[in-house]
Amino acid sequence: MVHENERSGMLAGWPKLFGKPVYAAKNSKNASSDRHAKKSPEGSAKGTSNTFVPTATEGGIALYSPEFYMACAGGGVVSCGATHTAVTPLDVVKCNMQVDPKKYSSISKGFSTIIKEQGARGLLKGWAPTLVGYSFQGACKFGFYEYFKKLYADIAGPEFFAKYDSLIFLAGSASAEVIADVALSPWEAVKVRIQTQPSFARGLSDGLPKIIANEGFGALYKGIVPLWGRQIPYTMMKFAAFEKTVQGLYAHVVPKPKEECSKTEQLGVSFAAGYIAGVFCAAVSHPADNLVSKLNQKPGVGVGDIVKEMGIVALCTRGLGLRIVMIGTLTGLQWGIYDAFKVAVGLPTTGGAPKK
């Protein structure tokens, strides 16, 4: 378990935040013998430490050490920053469809209208705040998820985790996303304004100071509550659905246990599970996504005004088809990239069914 004196000092600094490494095993032969004796956050075993979380490492990084969380945060930067930036053209069209459905009545009409009025470069508007914002968000989302997953699993104990692991995944991801969205909100506000108001600013360098000068620093967090409303359900679905899908794939689809699969095969499972989870993510979080786009596009309006203007059906469905394609692909790529990064630094891929 996490000791009480460690938990009370969690926010005092980075080392205290993540506590001590579970076990810096270098002898993988000895460690692997009990890796699957009991179900744990990584599908590993209860070992000789006073926790039931994995006691073996793959490579030189001890699981649940400060270096482990730094590596996970780094993987989050690469996976979220790169993928969100790559789909900027889709995001530009989606946001404009949400705020002006008459002008941008379909995906193809959205692309053609933007190219006609702004040129091909118009499809890249907002790439800089997207890259910065989602890199920060990815670091917090994945790094803190791994931390909270271990913390809550240790608090709950092995028997509870074995029966109700979904609750641990949901609670850990929700906690991580609260922090991640505080890091994302300012950049999301700038991104939406640039994408939906072409004359507002050229990009991040003049858009950010313009919002602060004209509306105050608080305007950057105007959409934080709807952002939480969009991202927390999305992230809970993203992580819990992914973890359970990975378990299901290894238990019922993949013809051999995870530990017998090559790293390439494991990464294929990560991508497939990520794409499946992404479809559910898009549907769950889409109403709040419409709210975020409208709030950041129209200064001075509230949530109630937008709901009244759009109606519940439009709030839940406008731009949903494009977002399912975008988020499904995005989430699959994010999990594939994140786990590839973990493998590259010597860590195991995320999730997996316990050994039968």
Side-chain angles (χ1 to χ4, degrees):
M1 295 289 188
V2 176
H3 294 299
E4 198 62 36
N5 60 340
E6 289 178 339
R7 194 173 299 136
S8 64
M10 265 174 207
L11 300 180
W14 185 264
K16 289 184 179 180
L17 176 62
F18 299 119
K20 298 177 181 179
V22 175
Y23 185 65
K26 299 299 180 182
N27 189 339
S28 58
K29 181 178 179 181
N30 292 337
S32 62
S33 63
D34 63 354
R35 188 173 296 173
H36 297 279
K38 200 166 186 101
K39 190 175 181 184
S40 72
E42 294 293 340
S44 297
K46 182 176 181 179
T48 57
S49 70
N50 63 343
T51 66
F52 68 95
V53 295
T55 60
T57 60
E58 296 187 14
I61 299 177
L63 293 177
Y64 308 108
S65 66
E67 293 78 15
F68 170 79
Y69 294 109
M70 288 291 289
C72 293
V77 169
V78 175
S79 68
C80 291
T83 52
H84 277 278
T85 304
V87 297
T88 295
L90 287 174
D91 194 36
V92 171
V93 174
K94 174 189 72 71
C95 286
N96 280 281
M97 287 176 66
Q98 289 172 328
V99 301
D100 194 348
K102 293 182 179 179
K103 184 176 181 180
Y104 306 94
S105 57
S106 67
I107 296 173
S108 58
K109 183 70 178 297
F111 274 103
S112 62
T113 301
I114 291 171
I115 293 173
K116 181 179 178 181
E117 294 183 353
Q118 304 175 42
R121 295 183 64 179
L123 295 172
L124 298 178
K125 276 187 170 292
W127 72 267
T130 297
L131 176 61
V132 175
Y134 283 93
S135 293
F136 283 141
Q137 188 221 34
C140 295
K141 184 198 298 277
F142 282 93
F144 280 106
Y145 171 69
E146 299 285 3
Y147 166 67
F148 283 119
K149 181 171 71 169
K150 174 188 181 296
L151 175 64
Y152 296 155
D154 282 354
I155 293 172
E159 293 184 4
F160 182 93
F161 182 84
K163 292 181 180 179
Y164 307 107
D165 57 353
S166 293
L167 295 179
I168 301 299
F169 302 147
L170 290 168
S173 56
S175 300
E177 190 60 39
V178 169
I179 299 171
D181 288 344
V182 174
L184 172 63
S185 184
W187 316 100
E188 182 77 359
V190 178
K191 175 189 78 72
V192 172
R193 194 72 64 88
I194 292 171
Q195 291 177 340
T196 59
Q197 297 180 10
S199 61
F200 176 75
R202 295 186 304 275
L204 175 61
S205 60
D206 58 333
L208 179 62
K210 189 172 183 179
I211 290 177
I212 296 174
N214 294 343
E215 303 170 42
F217 185 82
L220 299 175
Y221 285 93
K222 174 186 175 183
I224 186 65
V225 174
L227 188 62
W228 279 328
R230 181 188 78 184
Q231 290 297 129
I232 292 176
Y234 164 83
T235 300
M236 291 170 72
M237 184 65 71
K238 174 179 180 175
F239 283 88
F242 172 82
E243 297 263 16
K244 300 302 288 186
T245 302
V246 168
Q247 290 179 6
L249 289 175
Y250 280 119
H252 305 293
V253 179
V254 180
K256 53 188 174 182
K258 177 181 177 179
E259 65 270 17
E260 295 180 13
C261 295
S262 68
K263 293 300 182 185
T264 301
E265 291 170 332
Q266 291 182 26
L267 291 175
V269 170
S270 294
F271 175 79
Y275 199 101
I276 293 169
V279 174
F280 292 104
C281 290
V284 166
S285 62
H286 192 67
D289 185 62
N290 273 317
L291 285 175
V292 170
S293 294
K294 280 284 192 179
L295 282 170
N296 285 317
Q297 188 251 351
K298 291 185 175 182
V301 301
V303 172
D305 299 323
I306 294 172
V307 173
K308 184 177 180 180
E309 174 193 335
M310 294 184 66
I312 297 298
V313 174
L315 191 69
C316 295
T317 60
R318 185 179 295 169
L320 178 59
L322 178 58
R323 192 157 185 267
I324 285 177
V325 174
M326 187 178 83
I327 296 300
T329 305
L330 198 71
T331 307
L333 287 173
Q334 284 178 355
W335 276 113
I337 293 171
Y338 175 68
D339 273 352
F341 186 93
K342 289 176 71 176
V343 168
V345 298
L347 294 169
T349 56
T350 307
K355 190 175 182 180
K356 295 180 181 180

